[in-house]
């Protein structure tokens, strides 16, 4: 066992003494040491129940003959960090999470690891560490939050963000605004829709790294507790048989994950996270590969923010196994941590309530949920969640309104400066520019709340999975390194053609060259972690990984 390094032989007497200080017995010392990376905290709704799941994991490990050791992992709530400088830390925290788990596991030489995690950067960071370590491992994701209703309609956290714009536009009063504040996030769990957190949980299960139905079983449910306990038992079997992530997850597993992303119309942030995770497994996923799979994969389920259905509705429709069952021909039959292959799991899928998953022969859209656009404004590519764009905005041309920060743009939107036909450009929001590539749900939610249906938004930053409409992010190269987005001026025409995957700044090449010669990057005073991060981080087209 790996853990013998820290507990066997006379030269490890002091090590055993320290272990016994934590309550480890002589009998425990003979068992495999299993780490539990626990992202529990009491500020993130998706994490506030992870302590209960961790307890169930511990019970499973002990029942199967292991000795569990729990350690904490940080987690930022993107929703609370949204709209201020704190959001610069969210994506950057992904690397800290991966490094923390790596350091704890390698320093203490655990024989296996269970990742108990939820929410946007935490799941990707844990998965990066999982492949980097390549020891027997299993993931327990926290599950989705349940939704309630206001005025007869299902409300989610997206509703609360958009309510601010509706209030500013005089569409709702303070009383209704307070209702959304009180009932849009009523339980524990990852926010209800197909935002980044829930998308990454679905893809974790699709990759084969968590047990069946783990991703859609609601937070706080007894089924989630049972899955957590079974995961504790299962990790012991993986340790016994020395089955590592590299024995389970292949390049085809990642192609399956991208396929799932397209089937469900997941968050655009997966285009950052999947390449970063795959890189740790020695696999390269290009932006072009995402678009290639999107072109041939139908979109078969519509979930908030594209509809009023939530992840709980998907769970009642059979979850990931049912999606694979209905779209089997798009998936390869890869192995999972359960010991079963995905076809075998899919064969047992069943529907408990209304089925919201369309048949692949009659899809909601012929193509997948995400599209990669290229052109002189984004030579290396940019990303749009096309499944959340209305048909009349799939092709659009408008005048640029340019802002060098999210706060400037938000002030302009709420102040009535943006008109139908405008293209809002928010730049210097990329991995290096912000730094940290902040999500910008507040401007997109404000545009929607203000009732502006013919306005597009383009940024070298990124969007929340709760964003809907013609919102194009991850523009690469970013403004901070001299990408064309840094050269856009107010009044310039921008053409967006999602079906043709094109995005063009309609300015003569000679004019752009003249602007480029006069351009200088803005100076930003940075310190601490963000200073180091800005120096090391790569482009969004490469997953914003550290060099």
């Amino acid at each position: 066992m790996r853990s013998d390094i820290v507990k066997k032989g006379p030269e490890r007497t002091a090590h055993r003494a320290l272990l016994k200080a934590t309550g480890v017995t002589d009998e425990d010392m003979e068992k495999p040491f299993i780490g539990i990376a626990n992202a529990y905290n009491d500020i993130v709704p998706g994490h506030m129940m992870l302590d209960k799941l961790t307890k169930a994991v511990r019970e499973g490990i002990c029942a199967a003959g292991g000795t569990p050791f729990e350690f904490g992992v940080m987690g930022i709530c993107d929703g609370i960090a949204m709209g201020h400088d704190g959001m610069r830390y969210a994506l950057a925290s992904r690397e800290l999470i991966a490094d923390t788990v790596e350091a704890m596991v390698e320093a203490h030489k655990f024989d296996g690891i269970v990742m108990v995690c939820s929410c946007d950067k935490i799941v990707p960071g844990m998965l990066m560490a999982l492949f980097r370590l390549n020891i027997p491992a299993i993931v327990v994701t926290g599950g989705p939050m349940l939704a309630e209703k206001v005025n007869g309609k299902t409300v989610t956290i997206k509703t609360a963000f958009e309510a601010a714009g509706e209030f500013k536009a005089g569409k709702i009063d303070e009383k209704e605004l307070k209702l959304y504040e009180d009932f849009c996030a009523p339980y524990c769990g990852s926010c209800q829709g197909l935002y980044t957190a829930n998308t990454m949980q679905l893809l974790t299960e699709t990759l084969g790294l968590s047990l069946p139905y783990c991703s859609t079983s609601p937070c706080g449910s007894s089924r989630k507790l049972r899955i957590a306990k079974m995961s504790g038992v299962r990790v012991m079997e993986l340790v016994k048989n020395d089955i590592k992530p590299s024995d389970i997850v292949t390049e085809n597993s990642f192609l399956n994950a991208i396929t799932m992303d397209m089937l469900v119309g997941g968050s655009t942030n997966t285009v950052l996270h999947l390449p970063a995770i795959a890189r740790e497994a020695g696999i390269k996923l290009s932006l072009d590969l995402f678009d290639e799979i999107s072109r041939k994969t139908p979109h078969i389920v519509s979930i908030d923010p594209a509809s009023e259905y939530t992840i709980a509705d998907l769970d009642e429709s059979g979850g990931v196994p049912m999606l694979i069952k209905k779209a089997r021909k798009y998936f390869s039959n890869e192995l999972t941590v359960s010991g079963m292959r995905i076809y075998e799991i899919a064969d047992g899928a069943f529907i408990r309530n209304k089925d919201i998953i369309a048949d692949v022969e009659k899809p909601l859209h012929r193509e997948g949920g995400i599209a990669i656009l290229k052109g002189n404004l984004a030579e290396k590519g940019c990303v749009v969640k096309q499944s959340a764009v209305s048909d009349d905005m799939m092709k659009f041309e408008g005048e640029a309104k340019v802002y060098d920060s999210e706060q400037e743009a938000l002030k302009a939107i709420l102040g009535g400066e943006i008109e139908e036909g405008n293209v809002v450009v928010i730049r210097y929001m990329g991995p290096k520019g912000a730094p940290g590539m902040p999500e910008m749900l507040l401007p997109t939610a404000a545009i929607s709340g203000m009732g502006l249906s013919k306005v597009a938004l383009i940024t070298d930053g990124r969007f929340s999975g709760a964003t809907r409409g013609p919102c194009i992010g991850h523009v690469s190269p970013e403004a901070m390194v001299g990408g064309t987005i840094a050269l856009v001026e107010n009044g310039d025409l921008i053409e967006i053609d999602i079906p043709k995957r094109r995005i063009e700044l309609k300015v003569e090449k000679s004019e752009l060259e003249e602007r480029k010669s006069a351009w200088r990057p803005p100076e930003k005073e940075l310190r601490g972690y963000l200073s180091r991060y800005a120096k090391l981080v790569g482009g969004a087209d490469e997953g914003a990984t550290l060099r």
Side-chain angles (χ1 to χ4, degrees), residues 387-453:
S387 59
V389 179
S390 60
D391 290 342
D392 62 345
M393 289 296 287
M394 295 293 280
K395 295 181 180 181
F396 183 71
E397 182 174 298
E399 288 190 1
K401 289 285 187 77
V402 185
Y403 304 94
D404 288 349
S405 75
E406 178 187 8
Q407 288 73 25
E408 289 176 22
L410 185 62
K411 183 179 179 181
I413 295 164
L414 294 177
E417 296 178 23
I418 305 302
E419 301 173 347
E420 300 283 21
N422 287 159
V423 178
V424 177
V425 177
I426 309 178
R427 62 192 179 193
Y428 299 108
M429 294 288 103
K432 285 185 178 294
M437 203 179 180
E439 285 186 347
M440 283 172 284
L441 179 55
L442 290 181
T444 60
I447 287 171
S448 180
M450 295 285 283
L452 297 167
S453 60

Side-chain angles (χ1 to χ4, degrees), residues 243-415:
I243 299 173
K244 300 180 289 292
S246 60
D247 299 319
I248 295 170
V249 179
T250 65
E251 184 173 356
N252 282 336
S253 303
F254 279 98
L255 300 185
N256 282 346
I258 298 174
T259 298
M260 179 61 71
D261 199 12
M262 300 307 165
L263 283 171
V264 301
S267 167
T268 52
N269 284 316
T270 57
V271 179
L272 287 174
H273 296 319
L274 282 177
I277 295 162
R279 181 188 182 192
E280 299 289 353
I283 295 168
K284 181 175 176 57
L285 303 179
S286 68
L287 275 181
D288 290 338
L289 179 60
F290 280 82
D291 202 61
E292 178 187 326
I293 293 176
S294 179
R295 291 280 198 181
K296 62 185 182 184
T297 306
H299 173 221
I300 63 172
V301 63
S302 184
I303 297 172
D304 180 77
S307 77
E308 287 194 2
Y309 292 124
T310 67
I311 299 297
D313 295 306
L314 178 61
D315 185 56
E316 292 175 353
S317 300
V320 167
M322 184 57 75
L323 284 161
I324 294 172
K325 185 174 185 176
K326 287 195 172 187
R328 181 182 301 232
K329 65 181 179 180
Y330 296 97
F331 291 92
S332 60
N333 192 20
E334 302 305 307
L335 191 62
T336 74
V337 289
S338 70
M340 296 185 288
R341 294 186 177 272
I342 63 170
Y343 285 2
E344 183 182 354
I345 295 170
D347 286 340
F350 58 93
I351 299 166
R352 293 187 288 115
N353 199 357
K354 180 181 178 181
D355 185 8
I356 67 169
I357 305 171
D359 293 328
V360 292
E361 291 78 16
K362 296 180 180 179
L364 303 178
H365 299 98
R366 184 177 56 83
E367 293 184 351
I370 290 174
I372 307 299
L373 314 184
K374 289 187 177 181
N376 69 343
L377 189 53
E379 293 166 335
K380 292 185 177 181
C382 56
V383 185
V384 63
K385 189 173 183 175
Q386 65 173 342
S387 59
V389 179
S390 60
D391 290 342
D392 62 345
M393 289 296 287
M394 295 293 280
K395 295 181 180 181
F396 183 71
E397 182 174 298
E399 288 190 1
K401 289 285 187 77
V402 185
Y403 304 94
D404 288 349
S405 75
E406 178 187 8
Q407 288 73 25
E408 289 176 22
L410 185 62
K411 183 179 179 181
I413 295 164
L414 294 177

Side-chain angles (χ1 to χ4, degrees), residues 15-26:
H15 299 64
R16 290 192 296 274
L18 289 168
L19 287 165
K20 286 184 174 181
T22 69
V24 173
T25 67
D26 289 333

